[in-house]
Amino acid sequence: MLKKFFSLILFLAIALQATAEFRWGPTLGVNFSTLSWRQKLAKTSGLTGFDAGVAGELMIPGIGFGIDMGLRYNLHGAKVNFGDHHVWAIDGIKNQNVWFHTLEIPLNLKFKWTRLNGFEQILAPFIYGGPVFNFTLATNKAPAIEHPAGYVAMQVALGAELFEHYQISAGYSWGVSYQVRTIKLDNYTARPRGAIINLAYLF
């Protein structure tokens, strides 16, 4: 699936070279995240985090297709009830909020409605989706878990561009590889998932 997606991205990038319009700008967002464990053992609930960074857009004028990308710092996490289980409670590990500091690079296919008889200068709806490559920078003190250097997630979102500069979007993200693994139970892993809301200003 990812191989076909990258082939499509490469095709679009080549097609965009001569005619594409590139814009970029700051972005800020909020996320409502949790962890989805491989087995239902540790009760887990969501936390609210945020992201901030730079967003970019490479679009073909007139037809509305293009590539949406970015570079963002992301703080997200989940509340995990480790302390409810003897395997962790025996080590003094309690229920805790687990936070992840990550660097994320989204790479999405995007379609924006740009032929609306001039109305797109006020409001232009769009939709995008694709992979997000995440690199773990740090976590808070969480003695029950360990994590890989990075993981891959997928996201889909819809939104609107206002007055040709402001872009607000809302969507959903889910991990396709694991983000965290418990130390004592080698095969007990979890993937992130949750809702995302972002605001960007493109120059």
Side-chain angles (χ1 to χ4, degrees):
M1 179 180 176
L2 283 178
K3 186 176 180 180
K4 292 181 179 179
F5 179 85
F6 284 120
S7 296
L8 184 56
I9 286 288
L10 180 60
F11 173 79
L12 278 176
I14 294 172
L16 287 169
Q17 284 183 358
T19 61
E21 293 181 351
F22 178 72
R23 299 191 299 159
W24 66 278
T27 179
L28 183 67
V30 61
N31 61 72
F32 308 94
S33 64
T34 187
L35 290 171
S36 177
W37 294 93
R38 187 171 181 175
Q39 299 91 15
K40 293 183 179 181
L41 178 59
K43 183 180 178 181
T44 304
S45 55
L47 292 174
T48 302
F50 73 94
D51 65 72
V54 178
E57 179 185 85
L58 191 64
M59 303 294 292
I60 302 175
I63 66 173
F65 281 102
I67 301 171
D68 182 274
M69 66 204 82
L71 180 66
R72 300 191 294 246
Y73 162 78
N74 185 295
L75 174 68
H76 63 277
K79 181 178 180 181
V80 187
N81 288 15
F82 290 120
D84 292 350
H85 302 274
H86 180 74
V87 64
W88 294 296
I90 195 174
D91 294 329
I93 298 173
K94 301 178 180 179
N95 301 344
Q96 70 166 129
N97 294 341
V98 180
W99 289 104
F100 301 94
H101 305 266
T102 62
L103 178 68
E104 63 177 22
I105 303 174
L107 186 61
N108 303 291
L109 294 178
K110 188 173 189 177
F111 177 74
K112 186 193 303 181
W113 281 266
T114 56
R115 294 186 176 183
L116 299 174
N117 297 319
F119 185 72
E120 70 274 7
Q121 298 176 10
I122 300 174
L123 188 150
F126 61 78
I127 185 170
Y128 64 79
V132 184
F133 302 94
N134 299 268
F135 302 91
T136 304
L137 303 175
T139 64
N140 64 331
K141 187 177 180 181
I145 65 169
E146 59 185 6
H147 56 80
Y151 65 95
V152 180
M154 295 292 291
Q155 68 176 6
V156 292
L158 55 84
E161 180 176 281
L162 304 174
F163 306 107
E164 300 185 306
H165 289 288
Y166 297 94
Q167 293 193 355
I168 184 168
S169 61
Y172 191 78
S173 173
W174 66 97
V176 295
S177 63
Y178 82 88
Q179 181 184 21
V180 64
R181 178 175 63 189
T182 57
I183 296 173
K184 275 195 167 185
L185 305 178
D186 291 341
N187 204 32
Y188 192 46
T189 60
R191 301 178 183 187
R193 59 182 174 87
I196 48 176
I197 299 174
N198 278 97
L199 174 65
Y201 180 89
L202 300 185
F203 298 106

